[in-house]
Amino acid sequence: MEKKSHHTPDKDELVRFGVSFPAVLIEQFDRYIREQGYTNRSEAFRDLARRAILEPSRFTADQRVAGTIVMVYDHHSSDIPQKLTELQHTFYDDIISTMHIHLNSVLCLEVIAVRGEITNLRALHQRIQVMKGVFYAELSVTYFEEMSAGHAHD
Ligand code: NI
């Protein structure tokens, strides 16, 4: 017979707990969550917790994650299209897909879907960020391998 020494919590089990807030802060928080479209505090807290857990700075160097690099650049600036292509070929192992949108006659928006060790993704992001002609580049992590199976896609 199978013996279980530890209670394994059901992935969908909800745990209730009490939180103390200064009155002013909860007033501001309630206003914030209304503006964000939440109908209750619990869902807002859950989203904030998930966002905190996915903050890129908290991962260890070899942790495997998935996410996106979103960037805006001036495609006329020097040889940026060519440099960007070369860079993406260097990181081919970490890049799943790239979407390019011509925003106007000058600016391009590029969304790079990435999956790999956070160190590599950070290195790629940094290389993009310092390129001449890049106005904006942000790495955001939306998934890591140890994430609850209940929220993973298969
Ligand atoms: Ni373009």
Side-chain angles (χ1 to χ4, degrees):
M1 210 174 116
E2 195 188 343
K3 263 205 277 181
K4 275 184 182 162
S5 51
H6 295 288
H7 166 69
T8 315
D10 186 330
K11 283 186 189 74
D12 299 321
E13 185 186 330
L14 290 173
V15 179
R16 296 183 68 89
F17 64 100
V19 181
S20 305
F21 260 64
V24 178
L25 184 59
I26 200 66
E27 223 171 84
Q28 291 170 335
F29 186 69
D30 282 345
R31 201 177 319 132
Y32 163 80
I33 67 175
R34 265 199 312 276
E35 284 164 11
Q36 297 294 311
Y38 292 106
T39 52
N40 66 74
R41 287 173 183 164
S42 291
E43 190 47 43
F45 275 119
R46 285 194 286 269
D47 275 6
L48 287 176
R50 289 186 195 111
R51 207 181 304 163
I53 286 164
L54 289 167
E55 180 58 43
S57 61
R58 66 172 292 278
F59 293 106
T60 55
D62 60 345
Q63 197 146 12
R64 285 185 61 81
V65 301
T68 54
I69 294 172
V70 174
M71 62 181 292
V72 174
Y73 65 93
D74 175 353
H75 79 273
H76 292 127
S77 179
S78 62
D79 49 357
I80 190 168
Q82 191 198 329
K83 279 194 172 146
L84 199 58
T85 302
E86 272 168 30
L87 186 61
Q88 294 195 24
H89 277 274
T90 307
F91 284 85
Y92 70 91
D93 233 6
D94 304 291
I95 297 173
I96 302 164
S97 174
T98 300
M99 178 166 64
H100 184 102
I101 297 121
H102 311 299
L103 287 179
N104 56 36
S105 58
V106 177
L107 294 177
C108 303
L109 168 68
E110 205 150 299
V111 182
I112 307 169
V114 287
R115 179 179 211 154
E117 290 186 5
I118 186 77
T119 315
N120 293 347
L121 305 186
R122 279 199 193 114
L124 174 60
H125 171 243
Q126 280 161 11
R127 296 269 296 268
I128 289 171
Q129 201 164 233
V130 300
M131 282 173 100
K132 198 167 167 276
V134 172
F135 293 112
Y136 171 89
E138 189 182 25
L139 167 66
S140 85
V141 173
T142 51
Y143 173 84
F144 61 101
E145 275 190 350
E146 294 79 15
M147 216 170 185
S148 154
H151 292 278
H153 299 279
D154 41 22

